[in-house]
Amino acid sequence: MKNSHTNIAKIFHWGFILLYCYGLLKQLNDLSQLEDPNLLAFEVIFASLFLFIVLIRYFYMRRFETFLGAYEPIPLGHKFVAKVIHKSMYLCLALLPLSGLLIAGLFQLGAKSGILQNLAIALHEFSAFLSYVLISTHIAAAIYSRLRRKGIWTSMVPLWSEVKVISPSRTKTKALE
């Protein structure tokens, strides 16, 4: 069994984190900022690139086992929950740029306020909030897996790795020194 993700998968994972954080840092404070045509164009390009990367990442990563690197069989219930969380993350991460593009499109068409713009903004804010919750859950589960020495952490994270130690009685793991 393969015990680690490919380098491309790791680049997608860690590179996307940087892109997501950049999106958080550069977010708009006020919709009126879209009056600047250069900023509007940048936002559309950024949202399009973000969506493109989310889709490429999803189609690339779905070929991998959810618990790649696990030293022991994973219960079906855990696999189901993990898949739901991962797919929900992809959905809300795709909704973020889609709703952002909808906001920009409505703004460009002159709908700077009103029910459609308010719905687009609400969808965008909900997607952002849900992404915070799901990413936090993902991080907590990864840390829990690492603390329990399940082997999953090491398949994706380059720090605080663990190695499989085989003893006569059973398989154990320990942190690399």
Side-chain angles (χ1 to χ4, degrees):
M1 176 172 123
K2 186 174 168 133
N3 289 331
S4 184
H5 282 281
T6 64
N7 287 334
I8 293 172
K10 291 176 185 178
I11 289 169
F12 271 143
H13 187 264
W14 294 102
F16 188 79
I17 291 169
L18 296 175
L19 186 66
Y20 180 83
C21 290
Y22 175 75
L24 287 176
L25 292 174
K26 66 117 199 116
Q27 65 187 320
L28 300 179
N29 296 322
D30 189 288
L31 197 59
S32 66
Q33 291 176 278
L34 293 179
E35 295 283 352
D36 177 356
N38 291 329
L39 181 61
L40 179 62
F42 177 80
E43 290 295 324
V44 167
I45 291 168
F46 180 79
S48 300
L49 177 66
F50 190 95
L51 179 60
F52 180 70
I53 292 172
V54 167
L55 292 173
I56 286 179
R57 182 177 175 200
Y58 172 74
F59 287 111
Y60 182 80
M61 294 300 291
R62 73 182 191 158
R63 67 190 186 129
F64 294 103
E65 190 66 36
T66 302
F67 287 98
L68 185 67
Y71 297 141
E72 299 171 5
I74 304 297
L76 287 177
H78 289 185
K79 284 185 180 184
F80 176 78
V81 170
K83 285 182 181 190
V84 167
I85 289 171
H86 279 104
K87 287 185 180 189
S88 297
M89 251 191 311
Y90 281 111
L91 178 62
C92 77
L93 291 173
L95 281 175
L96 272 171
L98 286 172
S99 59
L101 289 169
L102 180 59
I103 292 166
L106 289 169
F107 192 88
Q108 186 68 22
L109 292 172
K112 298 176 182 179
S113 62
I115 191 159
L116 289 177
Q117 191 63 270
N118 290 342
L119 286 172
I121 291 169
L123 178 60
H124 193 70
E125 289 174 348
F126 175 75
S127 299
F129 171 76
L130 186 58
S131 74
Y132 305 149
V133 171
L134 292 170
I135 290 169
S136 297
T137 303
H138 179 72
I139 291 168
I143 291 170
Y144 175 78
S145 167
R146 175 58 187 93
L147 293 173
R148 301 273 307 183
R149 296 185 173 142
K150 298 290 185 181
I152 302 157
W153 173 280
T154 301
S155 74
M156 186 59 82
V157 183
L159 306 170
W160 197 26
S161 296
E162 55 194 354
V163 293
K164 188 174 181 179
V165 177
I166 301 174
S167 68
S169 60
R170 63 182 203 150
T171 303
K172 294 182 181 180
T173 60
K174 71 175 185 177
L176 289 175
E177 304 291 328

